[in-house]
Amino acid sequence: MLRQISFIALLISLLVAPLLGIASEAKPFAEKHVVLQISDPNPFKQTLVLNVAGNILKHYGSDKVDVEIVAFGPGLRLLTLGNSNTKRIDALNSEGVRFSACKNTIKAFTKKLGHAPELNPVAVPVSAGVVRIMDLVDKGYILVKP
Amino acid sequence: MNIFKKSLCAIAVGSGILIAGQAQAVNWLMVQGTEEPGSAPRAKLWGFLQPQYERTQNDKLADGPWKGQDAAFNSIGPNLDSNSQFQLRRARIGVRGAGFPLDDKINYFFLAEFGKNGITEYGDAVELTDASVTFNHIKGVRIRVGQFKTPMSEEVYQGIALFDWINFTGYAAQQLLERHLAVDGQTPCTPNLTNAKYLEACAKGNEWEAFGAARDTGIQVFDTFVFESMQDWEFSYSAMVGNGNGLNEGDKNNNKDYYLYFSAEQVYDGKRARRNGWKTFAWYTKGTREILTSSGKGLGANYREDEFDRKRWGIGTTYRKGKIRAAAEYNKAEGMIFNGVTGGAIPGNIANNVPVTAQFNILPDEEADGWYVDFGYKVLPKIELAARYDRYNRGTKNTLDVNGIGVERKYKTLTLGAQYFFNKKTRATVNYAFRDGDGQDNNTADNILDDMGDVLSFQVTAIF
């Protein structure tokens, strides 16, 4: 009997899982999932991507939306330690916005600089920025590149 | 007499900054010397244009050897050929950024002047105004090398594209924007002068060989600090050593100029050049100038090049919040001071009855001081009305020359202004200056200064 109940519970959970969507651990009640791409050298784009993240949170409420910013290429400068936008990054992070840093870009920066770039502690290295974006899109995230 | 001379308009100097608007309570040390960490571009092209029209009352000299001739203070600089003039006061283009953006601990600043003003009047058609590199590797000790603005009076140190007035105060125009003269110009310039160098210089009106433009070539250490317990306050310092010989010139002597600057600012909001805050500051600079005089440092010397001290210092405060901006400064000059033009005449003009040429001149060992209060209020989002009152006292140390004639001059100027902001980077400014001057213990000078005319100016500023 117990075995049957367990089996039914497992079956139900498997059936319901897709309906629950892609709720992340940090944002269990999120109804929207967005990944923002920053890969541009233009400093204005740094401000823009942070503005977009802030506006999304403001519109949906920080509990109802899950936002991740993925930085790669020249856009990784957004996540270097001491960036002029650090306060805004920290504020967004405190509201649940995640920041991913491309390991390939970190390697390239290291080669050019002669040492590894110091990153903002909120930055989470991911194997490849573009792969991270593809994975998130596969999970149902909407990709926005401001 | 002699107020404003070429300085009236020729003192177009300053550095630029990227955003138009009012400029009080901005940390110019950081805005001009550094880039935003982590987001500095490789090369940001920028600049600004300031076409203008200006006119003064066309009163001639009322007294003295040049009586009836054009007055320098009633002529529009930098050429002083008329009392009304359209001109391109400033036209600057530059590049700034971090050459290797991944390592933005190093940034640069480059700016050149294409306009017609004190910088280019006796220089080349295009003059380099700023070219510097800043190293930001050591916390608390940023190092900047090259040619750039020297921290001093906010009036001239600020990014000039954000200056809320068209002309500088009398004191700043004459004592802070230095003209480097070859000879002191105190000896009457007659064809029979025995010293060829002196005669050559004074016969041309003793035009300046270089223009300081509130800049110097040298090395500066500086930084800004924010303490944990007072996070809305910024404390800044700067110490600098430079040649003290004007734009794009090498040094003339072995003595360097030294500059010190301190500021404390309560920051309300905003960033970089668009910040609201309340700042107080103090600064000091000291150097020596080598110049040919007929008497040297002592009476009896016969045409000697001597070195004279040049000291400047000042204190001030600026405030900007919402619709209001305000500023006040007191500045003092000791040692070598600029003393205008002989008889208030146009430099190079010959006196009526004697073969004496009017010339720019300096007093090698004198004093001067000046102060101003400045207030602006935005009556509408795009319109600001403003008033500035400034006083300037020149030749205050000895007051009388060896012949018992007064050398002291006192000037008062009330300037009313209005600005219309088309957008954040373009604005139109109109100023009307009521000017008044007195020659102390000197009837001739006093008569001349009685005819110092008011000045009406229009200017457009477009930043790109």
Side-chain angles (χ1 to χ4, degrees):
Chain A
M1 183 64 181
L2 192 62
R3 271 183 149 186
Q4 284 177 323
I5 292 171
S6 298
F7 177 74
I8 291 167
L10 180 63
L11 196 63
I12 291 171
S13 66
L14 286 172
L15 290 170
V16 171
L19 301 177
L20 291 175
I22 46 175
S24 71
E25 289 175 17
K27 296 281 183 107
F29 302 105
E31 295 164 358
K32 301 281 184 182
H33 303 272
V34 182
V35 54
L36 299 174
Q37 175 184 334
I38 170 95
S39 53
D40 200 296
N42 185 346
F44 175 68
K45 290 292 180 69
Q46 295 187 6
T47 309
L48 189 59
V49 77
L50 297 176
N51 287 348
V52 169
N55 289 339
I56 290 172
L57 293 184
K58 197 173 167 185
H59 182 81
Y60 291 106
S62 58
D63 290 337
K64 298 287 178 64
V65 65
D66 174 27
V67 179
E68 179 166 331
I69 296 176
V70 179
F72 64 94
L76 183 66
R77 292 180 70 209
L78 173 71
L79 298 179
T80 52
L81 192 67
N83 180 289
S84 56
N85 296 297
T86 297
K87 280 185 181 174
R88 294 191 66 198
I89 292 169
D90 292 347
L92 287 169
N93 183 246
S94 70
E95 290 198 71
V97 175
R98 300 187 303 281
F99 292 86
S100 296
C102 173
K103 279 185 181 173
N104 287 338
T105 306
I106 293 171
K107 274 184 201 168
F109 277 23
T110 304
K111 199 174 171 185
K112 285 182 180 175
L113 284 168
H115 58 82
E118 290 184 273
L119 296 182
N120 187 319
V122 306
V124 177
V126 294
S127 58
V130 69
V131 172
R132 176 66 177 168
I133 289 173
M134 290 167 71
D135 288 348
L136 290 173
V137 170
D138 280 348
K139 287 181 183 174
Y141 279 68
I142 298 166
L143 171 63
V144 178
K145 186 187 176 190
Chain B
M1 76 181 160
N2 295 347
I3 182 71
F4 294 126
K5 297 149 221 46
K6 287 216 167 180
S7 59
L8 181 65
C9 293
I11 34 59
V13 292
S15 98
I17 208 54
L18 307 181
I19 303 161
Q22 300 134 312
Q24 267 90 0
V26 173
N27 188 336
W28 294 111
L29 273 174
M30 302 301 284
V31 170
Q32 297 181 103
T34 68
E35 295 292 335
E36 293 274 28
S39 58
R42 185 184 300 277
K44 175 155 188 160
L45 183 71
W46 67 285
F48 57 95
L49 304 174
Q50 289 187 313
Q52 73 172 46
Y53 171 79
E54 191 162 59
R55 72 171 297 124
T56 63
Q57 291 171 245
N58 190 23
D59 291 339
K60 306 292 184 185
L61 291 166
D63 206 340
W66 288 265
K67 183 177 179 179
Q69 297 192 27
D70 287 334
F73 50 78
N74 285 338
S75 302
I76 305 298
N79 56 352
L80 299 178
D81 287 333
S82 70
N83 75 313
S84 70
Q85 188 167 185
F86 290 98
Q87 61 185 146
L88 190 53
R89 177 75 169 263
R90 299 181 187 91
R92 294 189 191 170
I93 188 164
V95 184
R96 61 182 298 178
F100 184 46
L102 288 187
D103 180 11
D104 54 11
K105 283 188 163 51
I106 301 172
N107 58 271
Y108 67 92
F109 187 107
F110 182 92
L111 188 66
E113 173 66 278
F114 289 74
K116 197 64 178 170
N117 52 48
I119 294 172
T120 50
E121 172 66 3
Y122 300 128
D124 295 326
V126 179
E127 286 274 346
L128 182 67
T129 61
D130 303 81
S132 71
V133 180
T134 304
F135 298 89
N136 304 283
H137 298 80
I138 308 170
K139 199 170 184 180
V141 189
R142 297 174 195 266
I143 300 170
R144 191 178 186 192
V145 295
Q147 177 173 287
F148 48 91
K149 288 190 117 175
T150 57
M152 55 158 78
S153 157
E154 179 91 358
E155 184 185 0
V156 296
Y157 185 48
Q158 67 184 292
I160 203 63
L162 299 186
F163 185 38
D164 288 298
W165 300 94
I166 296 172
N167 291 313
F168 293 99
T169 60
Y171 178 88
Q174 293 209 341
Q175 303 304 338
L176 297 181
L177 303 175
E178 187 179 6
R179 297 143 186 82
H180 294 266
L181 307 180
V183 304
D184 68 344
Q186 289 297 316
T187 302
C189 187
T190 59
N192 56 1
L193 283 182
T194 55
N195 187 283
K197 183 180 177 184
Y198 203 106
L199 180 58
E200 184 187 355
C202 75
K204 291 189 292 187
N206 199 15
E207 298 164 348
W208 52 85
E209 297 182 310
F211 197 69
R215 290 167 170 82
D216 201 356
T217 304
I219 181 167
Q220 174 193 35
V221 292
F222 69 102
D223 211 342
T224 290
F225 303 90
V226 176
F227 296 102
E228 197 69 35
S229 55
M230 333 171 50
Q231 291 198 12
D232 59 337
W233 281 84
E234 275 188 5
F235 299 89
S236 303
Y237 82 95
S238 163
M240 179 180 171
V241 182
N243 288 335
N245 197 32
L247 287 178
N248 306 317
E249 294 286 334
D251 207 350
K252 244 184 172 180
N253 58 29
N254 289 323
N255 297 320
K256 302 298 176 222
D257 276 31
Y258 301 93
Y259 307 85
L260 289 173
Y261 177 89
F262 300 95
S263 71
E265 177 174 358
Q266 186 176 22
V267 180
Y268 300 138
D269 53 44
K271 282 180 75 176
R272 303 282 282 181
R274 302 183 68 200
R275 209 164 73 171
N276 288 318
W278 169 48
K279 177 166 69 180
T280 55
F281 57 91
W283 61 278
Y284 174 83
T285 177
K286 177 182 184 301
T288 59
R289 299 289 179 271
E290 190 172 286
I291 196 162
L292 178 64
T293 72
S294 61
S295 59
K297 276 187 171 174
L299 294 172
N302 190 20
Y303 291 110
R304 270 200 357 216
E305 278 196 339
D306 273 318
E307 290 186 357
F308 297 92
D309 287 340
R310 180 184 182 275
K311 296 177 188 171
R312 301 287 185 270
W313 60 266
I315 54 173
T317 185
T318 63
Y319 173 87
R320 182 189 173 195
K321 190 173 187 182
K323 298 174 181 174
I324 296 172
R325 63 169 182 80
E329 286 191 56
Y330 174 79
N331 292 302
K332 175 87 177 174
E334 294 175 3
M336 178 176 281
I337 67 168
F338 185 70
N339 195 46
V341 188
T342 326
I346 307 292
N349 280 7
I350 311 292
N352 298 330
N353 302 315
V354 286
V356 177
T357 305
Q359 53 182 323
F360 287 111
N361 65 88
I362 55 105
L363 294 169
D365 183 21
E366 256 295 349
E367 292 181 3
D369 61 69
W371 57 266
Y372 73 84
V373 289
D374 174 5
F375 181 81
Y377 185 79
K378 272 197 165 179
V379 292
L380 291 169
K382 290 192 170 186
I383 298 177
E384 183 206 73
L385 301 180
R388 182 182 70 184
Y389 181 70
D390 75 90
R391 296 284 294 265
Y392 169 33
N393 307 308
R394 194 181 72 200
T396 56
K397 182 182 177 185
N398 297 313
T399 64
L400 300 177
D401 67 11
V402 290
N403 300 313
I405 298 171
V407 296
E408 187 177 4
R409 307 286 183 269
K410 291 181 181 293
Y411 304 101
K412 305 169 195 168
T413 305
L414 171 65
T415 309
L416 302 179
Q419 295 194 86
Y420 180 80
F421 298 88
F422 294 97
N423 56 43
K424 287 182 179 178
K425 295 194 173 187
T426 310
R427 69 182 193 274
T429 308
V430 57
N431 285 173
Y432 191 89
F434 302 89
R435 300 188 300 166
D436 184 33
D438 296 312
Q440 303 291 296
D441 301 316
N442 187 329
N443 289 336
T444 302
D446 206 37
N447 289 338
I448 289 172
L449 288 177
D450 279 346
D451 289 324
M452 176 176 278
D454 296 344
V455 182
L456 176 66
S457 318
F458 295 95
Q459 186 180 73
V460 169
T461 300
I463 302 172
F464 55 92

